[in-house]
Amino acid sequence: MLLVLAAVLFWAVYAAGQRLPRRFCPALRRLAGWCYGVYLVHHVLLTLVFLPFVQGHGLPLAGMFPVYLVVSFALAAVLMAVSGPISKAIKKLA
């Protein structure tokens, strides 16, 4: 049942994305880039930093999720900003 729900949600979002006006494309591309950065840092941030901090201070996990989300995107933005100059430097060396 959960797999069917995930598939329906995916196709609904995909179909909605196909109907968006072109003026939203640059913003969506930037958001997609940040999402990749979030993907790279979210698990490490969640398991090594965030969950121990929340449990150690007795904070509600559900209430702290928005904080985790904001921190994940902030770290992703930093990661993307740092990765550009590093990749250019590596290309010059090669």
Side-chain angles (χ1 to χ4, degrees), residues 21-38:
R22 283 210 175 270
R23 67 178 183 265
F24 293 120
C25 289
L28 289 175
R29 282 193 188 105
R30 175 162 289 186
L31 181 61
W34 287 353
C35 287
Y36 182 66
V38 169

Side-chain angles (χ1 to χ4, degrees), residues 2-87:
L2 188 59
L3 183 61
V4 172
L5 179 62
V8 168
L9 284 173
F10 170 80
W11 287 110
V13 170
Y14 177 80
Q18 299 302 309
R19 294 179 184 9
L20 282 175
R22 283 210 175 270
R23 67 178 183 265
F24 293 120
C25 289
L28 289 175
R29 282 193 188 105
R30 175 162 289 186
L31 181 61
W34 287 353
C35 287
Y36 182 66
V38 169
Y39 166 75
L40 291 175
V41 301
H42 85 281
H43 185 69
V44 172
L45 176 66
L46 182 66
T47 58
L48 296 180
V49 178
F50 191 74
L51 287 177
F53 177 80
V54 169
Q55 290 172 346
H57 290 85
L59 301 169
L61 185 59
M64 294 300 293
F65 180 75
V67 174
Y68 165 73
L69 193 61
V70 168
V71 170
S72 293
F73 272 91
L75 287 175
V78 169
L79 178 67
M80 298 304 282
V82 169
S83 68
I86 290 173
S87 66

